[in-house]
Amino acid sequence: MILVTGGAGFIGANFILEWLRNADEPVLNLDKLTYAGNLETLASLEGDPRYAFVQGDICDKALIDRLLLKHRPRAIVHFAAESHVDRSIHGPGDFIQTNIIGTFSLLESVRAYFGMIHEDERSAFRFLHVSTDEVYGSLAKGDPAFSETNRVEPNSPYSASKAASDHLVRAYHHTYGLPVLTTNCSNNYGPFQFPEKLIPLMVVNALAGKSLPIYGDGQQIRDWLYVTDHCAAIRRVLEGGRLGETYNIGGWNEKPNIDIVHAICDLLDELRPRADGKSYREQITYVTDRPGHDRRYAIDATKIERELGWRPAETFETGIRKTVQWYLDHAQWVANVQSGAYREWLERQYGAR
Ligand code: NAD
């Protein structure tokens, strides 16, 4: 079995759903259920004997120690994190606690566990740390894309906390011989993303007739990857990645934010036209830029392609169409997330917490 941390979040939940679609190996999902954790996303796994959920904090060392000894996972895929840059600017404390202290605490438990298991379990064991391209800082136009050997120059409390966790994971490999793998991925989008992030926020606001706020001039460039392509890349690294190595994951899809918002508006114009016949582009408004807003991220994914034969299956055009259609088809999921109704559902399903 594998242990997934943060499996009730956007990427972790997609990863679990994909994992169980592709394999019968059971998954234990450990998640604290912060505002970003949503078990409704995993409701289709209700009663599936291959899936179990434990509500808990990665900082709770006694709990993690117990879970490891009880379930003896052959791998851990570590997604749990505070993940929203804007929130990290307003309140960095939780980011330091979960992303740095939490990863440290988890590594300590894993180190003890690794020391206790049998030799054959040890050779199969992997700890895969899921991280972001934001640790590399910002690129200027024309700079080469981030490779795994780039300097680490984080600019937000979020990216600084992720960079710190990446360093800890690396150190536990070199110091204690833990069999670790790290992935640094670009911006993900797709089904089940909490509507505080750019793409779902724009879809949800557009449909609600609200403004579509664009930071600064909208020319900040990001690389975009459809979430199931990220999940497939993680599986590939888990299977074949070289221990102690870092793999960059990206979609070869560099786009300015304003182009993303235009693409969403154009798709909505086609799929759910406004009653007044005007374009959703009319709802775009420009707002003061985020402090320290990185100008450009771009990922060079040559290493994972060359060593592990991974390539994204979706182009931006196919992925964004699927995503917009998904949000149109899942208005109830969005409404529940926004109203907090899913927390009531959670209590009904699992009892008061
Ligand atoms: P998310 O915010 O949607 O989900 C995070 C999950 O972690 C939530 O379910 C939350 O309840 C859980 N969690 C938070 N603190 C916890 C704690 N202390 N103990 C246990 N669980 C806790 O995030 P996401 O977008 O799914 O990102 C997952 C991972 O991927 C993160 O590590 C993030 O840094 C990384 N990443 C995200 C992106 C992206 O575009 N979203 C890109 C690259 C890397």
Side-chain angles (χ1 to χ4, degrees), residues 30-82:
L30 172 91
D31 197 295
K32 184 178 175 183
L33 298 181
T34 67
Y35 78 94
N38 183 357
L39 286 183
E40 193 181 341
T41 304
L42 296 164
S44 62
L45 299 178
E46 220 47 40
D48 189 323
R50 300 169 304 165
Y51 172 73
F53 171 71
V54 173
Q55 184 175 10
D57 191 328
I58 54 167
C59 300
D60 183 347
K61 189 165 178 305
L63 170 70
I64 306 289
D65 287 343
R66 262 201 323 278
L67 288 176
L68 291 177
L69 281 183
K70 181 171 172 204
H71 296 280
R72 297 182 89 89
R74 66 116 186 147
I76 298 174
V77 185
H78 177 36
F79 292 97
E82 289 291 336

Side-chain angles (χ1 to χ4, degrees), residues 317-344:
E317 287 65 33
T318 59
I320 193 71
R321 181 173 283 276
K322 281 187 183 177
T323 304
V324 169
Q325 189 65 59
W326 188 89
Y327 279 92
L328 287 174
D329 294 343
H330 293 82
Q332 194 56 51
W333 182 91
V334 174
N336 289 351
V337 167
Q338 287 178 316
S339 71
Y342 83 87
R343 297 215 168 266
E344 290 161 25

Side-chain angles (χ1 to χ4, degrees), residues 84-111:
H84 190 43
V85 178
D86 285 343
R87 286 181 187 258
S88 83
I89 294 168
H90 296 300
D94 287 347
F95 289 72
I96 305 304
Q97 184 60 31
T98 285
N99 300 359
I100 305 180
I101 310 287
T103 300
F104 161 68
S105 181
L106 184 61
L107 284 167
E108 277 294 275
S109 294
V110 174
R111 178 161 80 95

